Amino acid sequence: MEIVILAVVIALVAVGLISGLVVSSRKKKQLPPSAPSSTPTITPPAEPRVGEEAETPRDEARRPIEEVGVPGAGTPVEETPVVVEPEIPELEVPEPTAGRLVRLRARLARSQNSLGKGLLTLLSRDNLDEDTWEEIEDTLLTADVGVAPTQELVERLRERVRVLGTRTPDELRTLLREELVTLLGPDFDRAVKTEGGDGTPGVVMVVGVNGTGKTTTTGKLARVLVADGRSVVLGAADTFRAAAADQLQTWGERVGARTVRGPEGGDPASIAFDAVKEGIAEGADVVLIDTAGRLHTKTGLMDELGKVKRVVEKHGPLDEILLVLDATTGQNGLVQARVFAEVVDITGIVLTKLDGTAKGGIVIAVQRELGVPVKLIGLGEGPDDLAPFEPGAFVDALIGD
Ligand code: GDP
């Protein structure tokens, strides 16, 4: 009997053990594969132990920058490379400005074939009859050289070709080069004036109709100056176009130039004033002021730009007023130039978008119109696609050398 009872007890225990195993294994299956411990939010974060590889972003923030391995900021850690947003934005190093036009000449040559190469082809004809001279004239007019300069050039070319008699292609190229360079005014002083007096920053105001590339040019010019070792403060006084201040600030941040800005629709004159004040306070070399160019009415424009100029000049005289013109707008650009010249004293012209037009002759026409030199040209949307204007290099790009 006792043996029977013992056997029953053993059997019961065995059944109990088996069912327990089954239940626990079922429970295990119900758990998600990588379930965290039941209450992660109240568990205090474990302190990182020596040798642990994974680190939280907070830990990264606490580590000195050399340890984290920000590019260029020290020796990177050996084990796992850690990707961290650099806290200090990396500054770009703009291209040097010397020889930019030569480097960018392909942009001009591509778009200017009809002017330079067209003229050379026409002049190379065996028989330079009246029709050919008319074609030469048309080529110049089509390229926006303007009526008076075209007539002058054709007259001089006719005279020189006649004296030359037989012509070799090389002689023709030299002759055309000389005449075009003469027409571009090789003696103009094309340096952008950025030297202030008495240790104060040079102040440059950038004006022009919206859409001509004014803000972009101001940003590119900041890069030109930084490339030449100058420190720059930007004044976002185009408060009319919503994105203009952001756009300018982005340009500035890329090269470490501070931007002074105000509320959208704010008073451009007070922003311009504050920008110069800031430039003086931080001992900057140059202050560049971007302005709004609404050609609503001449009086409106005059009021607006006139006020900006007057207010800025409370700090001292402006060193340069650059007029930005879009080369693709042709005669319309000349009309704009006339209006702006009546409102403020333009001291230099920036011709933008010369990469996208065959109308490079506008350089000649606008200088004639205003009696003011083209100082810079825009040859693309890239950050360093703004070049100091050099007549010789420009003509070489047009006709090849
Ligand atoms: P703003 O209204 O006068 O300040 O004009 P933006 O600076 O905003 O420029 C208007 C447009 O012209 C932008 O898309 C610029 O990238 C473009 N732009 C400016 N300069 C040049 C240039 O030299 N070449 C080309 N192809 N585009 C340019």
Side-chain angles (χ1 to χ4, degrees):
M1 184 60 187
E2 278 174 18
I3 292 169
V4 173
I5 290 170
L6 192 63
V8 169
V9 169
I10 290 170
L12 282 173
V13 169
V15 168
L17 276 174
I18 289 164
S19 64
L21 275 176
V22 170
V23 170
S24 79
S25 80
R26 265 198 210 131
K27 269 188 195 153
K28 271 186 193 155
K29 273 185 195 152
Q30 282 160 7
L31 289 174
S34 60
S37 60
S38 49
T39 49
T41 44
I42 53 166
T43 313
E47 283 295 316
R49 271 169 281 145
V50 179
E52 248 181 17
E53 284 188 5
E55 297 190 53
T56 64
R58 245 177 102 227
D59 295 323
E60 287 303 337
R62 276 196 236 126
R63 286 172 56 184
I65 204 154
E66 323 71 74
E67 258 183 69
V68 176
V70 172
T75 329
V77 276
E78 269 173 29
E79 328 95 79
T80 323
V82 189
V83 183
V84 214
E85 286 300 318
E87 286 169 1
I88 307 153
E90 269 198 66
L91 298 185
E92 294 177 17
V93 182
E95 268 182 29
T97 50
R100 268 198 197 181
L101 208 162
V102 174
R103 279 201 299 281
L104 294 168
R105 60 178 282 170
R107 307 262 175 95
L108 270 177
R110 258 206 309 273
S111 56
Q112 306 290 335
N113 276 345
S114 55
L115 178 58
K117 301 264 165 55
L119 287 178
L120 261 188
T121 313
L122 286 168
L123 285 171
S124 306
R125 280 189 191 165
D126 288 339
N127 182 15
L128 279 176
D129 55 14
E130 279 309 309
D131 285 350
T132 309
W133 284 112
E134 247 174 55
E135 277 184 65
I136 291 173
E137 221 172 276
D138 287 347
T139 306
L140 289 163
L141 290 173
T142 312
D144 274 347
V145 171
V147 178
T150 294
Q151 278 165 0
E152 266 174 48
L153 182 64
V154 169
E155 225 163 86
R156 291 180 62 90
L157 285 175
R158 283 185 88 143
E159 176 62 18
R160 288 192 65 179
V161 165
R162 196 180 55 77
V163 171
L164 202 64
T166 48
R167 314 169 296 272
T168 65
D170 272 355
E171 283 169 333
L172 278 178
R173 176 175 284 111
T174 309
L175 188 152
L176 184 62
R177 184 185 190 278
E178 280 173 11
E179 290 304 331
L180 285 172
V181 169
T182 304
L183 213 57
L184 283 167
D187 299 331
F188 269 127
D189 177 5
R190 297 176 197 272
V192 178
K193 302 276 180 302
T194 55
E195 303 287 343
D198 303 330
T200 56
V203 182
V204 179
M205 186 160 111
V206 185
V207 304
V209 171
N210 284 345
T212 52
K214 203 166 25 64
T215 305
T216 308
T217 298
T218 311
K220 286 177 179 173
L221 181 55
R223 297 176 67 92
V224 166
L225 293 165
V226 169
D228 291 344
R230 322 288 304 285
S231 60
V232 177
V233 167
L234 297 167
D238 179 356
T239 55
F240 176 68
R241 190 162 62 84
D246 288 341
Q247 199 182 324
L248 192 65
Q249 188 172 340
T250 306
W251 278 101
E253 279 168 359
R254 293 168 69 174
V255 288
R258 192 191 304 280
T259 300
V260 175
R261 52 186 294 180
E264 198 184 315
D267 177 26
S270 72
I271 294 166
F273 181 85
D274 285 350
V276 180
K277 200 166 104 186
E278 172 68 25
I280 294 169
E282 47 174 88
D285 295 321
V286 190
V287 179
L288 299 180
I289 301 167
D290 184 21
T291 60
R294 288 178 290 157
L295 265 187
H296 40 320
T297 61
K298 202 168 91 188
T299 337
L301 184 77
M302 203 167 316
D303 287 351
E304 207 165 272
L305 282 185
K307 187 175 167 203
V308 172
K309 184 171 180 286
R310 271 196 315 279
V311 169
V312 165
E313 287 188 332
K314 287 183 181 170
H315 290 293
L318 277 163
D319 296 281
E320 187 89 67
I321 302 181
L322 293 176
L323 170 66
V324 179
L325 291 177
D326 176 342
T328 64
T329 58
Q331 294 304 311
N332 198 11
L334 290 185
V335 175
Q336 291 169 18
R338 243 170 262 147
V339 174
F340 274 91
E342 283 176 40
V343 175
V344 278
D345 293 328
I346 309 293
T347 55
I349 300 157
V350 184
L351 265 184
T352 59
K353 312 188 193 180
L354 267 171
D355 52 311
T357 177
K359 296 183 178 289
I362 193 79
V363 178
I364 295 163
V366 74
Q367 290 188 151
R368 281 291 174 102
E369 182 69 40
L370 301 188
V372 164
V374 169
K375 294 192 168 178
L376 298 160
I377 54 174
L379 289 165
E381 294 190 85
D384 293 328
D385 293 345
L386 182 74
F389 183 72
E390 302 158 45
F394 183 74
V395 173
D396 286 341
L398 298 192
I399 58 176
D401 50 5

